[in-house]
Amino acid sequence: VFLLLIYNLKLLFLLIRRCSGELTYCSGVRRSRDAIVWLGQRKHSSYDATHKNTLNASMTSVAQMYSMVHEADVLLWHENDLSQADADALVKKTNIRFCVLSKATGWGRPSSQIHVEASRKGRWSEGYLSMIRWYAITCWQILVNLGYEYAMRFDDDSFLLSRIDYNLFTILRKTGAKYGFRSVARECDRNFGFFVDKYISQSQ
């Protein structure tokens, strides 16, 4: 009985820690299994990231073009520099959660790279590299920990330009898909698109 009590208390502790951890970096509560994700910032190293030009305009396009937006949660990840006033396009459309980027949520360098000096001649800024790592590697387990099953990503300067009157997440769930897309836009240099095509063909 004593061992069972310790085990149950341990489970309770883990549950409390998980719930409190979620509350420390995301506002509100989860209301859907699906999430639409933005990573926003007030300042950007390569373009104007003001309310009018990027993030809120991107969210406005989704509000206007995706009729099922209310069936998903919206997660706005930021470095503790955004408020509801910076992203109010979806306030009355769906459940919006403001989530803070930190080491606990997979933001920044991996521990093995903490003491590596950044190149002053590098093509990409430190923040950009952190974003790529977060989207490619670390965000997925964080989203799972928050209770989400599917996520749709938008850059803060990307826009939805055609009407969608069906639930994208329902289609993915019914077909058992792990990944989905509506169109292909090759905008990267150094033959990255061809690399992706080859990887997909060899992985099926």
Side-chain angles (χ1 to χ4, degrees):
V1 176
F2 179 70
L3 291 176
L4 181 61
L5 177 62
I6 293 177
Y7 180 70
N8 287 338
L9 287 175
K10 184 177 181 180
L11 286 178
L12 179 62
F13 171 74
L14 290 173
L15 179 61
I16 292 173
R17 186 174 66 176
R18 177 175 176 178
C19 292
S20 63
E22 177 178 336
L23 292 175
T24 58
Y25 58 77
C26 277
S27 65
V29 296
R30 181 177 62 83
R31 297 179 183 173
S32 173
R33 295 179 295 171
D34 308 316
I36 303 175
V37 177
W38 273 272
L39 198 161
Q41 51 189 330
R42 188 179 296 277
K43 295 181 180 180
H44 194 280
S45 59
S46 59
Y47 61 82
D48 182 4
T50 60
H51 174 281
K52 181 179 180 180
N53 290 339
T54 54
L55 175 61
N56 211 56
S58 175
M59 298 177 80
T60 297
S61 74
V62 174
Q64 294 174 344
M65 294 295 181
Y66 185 39
S67 62
M68 299 296 180
V69 65
H70 62 281
E71 296 188 3
D73 287 354
V74 166
L75 305 186
L76 177 53
W77 293 87
H78 60 102
E79 293 183 280
N80 210 23
D81 60 347
L82 294 179
S83 66
Q84 184 170 308
D86 297 298
D88 56 9
L90 288 168
V91 167
K92 296 182 179 180
K93 295 284 186 178
T94 190
N95 180 38
I96 299 180
R97 307 184 68 186
F98 285 78
C99 303
V100 177
L101 294 163
S102 67
K103 183 178 180 181
T105 55
W107 185 251
R109 296 187 181 195
S111 56
S112 61
Q113 298 292 316
I114 293 297
H115 301 294
V116 176
E117 184 177 353
S119 172
R120 296 181 180 180
K121 297 181 180 180
R123 180 177 180 181
W124 311 110
S125 67
E126 185 84 10
Y128 187 85
L129 295 176
S130 293
M131 178 196 71
I132 295 300
R133 178 175 182 265
W134 193 79
Y135 270 133
I137 301 173
T138 59
C139 77
W140 307 110
Q141 188 58 52
I142 298 299
L143 293 173
V144 169
N145 292 345
L146 286 170
Y148 294 104
E149 296 178 2
Y150 282 95
M152 176 165 56
R153 169 199 166 181
F154 277 88
D155 285 335
D156 61 359
D157 61 342
S158 60
F159 302 91
L160 186 59
L161 301 178
S162 59
R163 185 79 181 175
I164 302 176
D165 289 321
Y166 56 89
N167 191 314
L168 292 166
F169 299 105
T170 298
I171 299 297
L172 292 172
R173 191 168 282 112
K174 285 184 176 180
T175 59
K178 295 182 179 180
Y179 188 86
F181 58 91
R182 297 192 74 220
S183 63
V184 176
R186 298 188 184 279
E187 59 181 37
C188 188
D189 56 6
R190 298 183 299 280
N191 297 318
F192 181 71
F194 299 105
F195 163 77
V196 173
D197 289 340
K198 184 176 181 180
Y199 176 82
I200 293 174
S201 66
Q202 294 177 348
S203 301
Q204 292 179 338

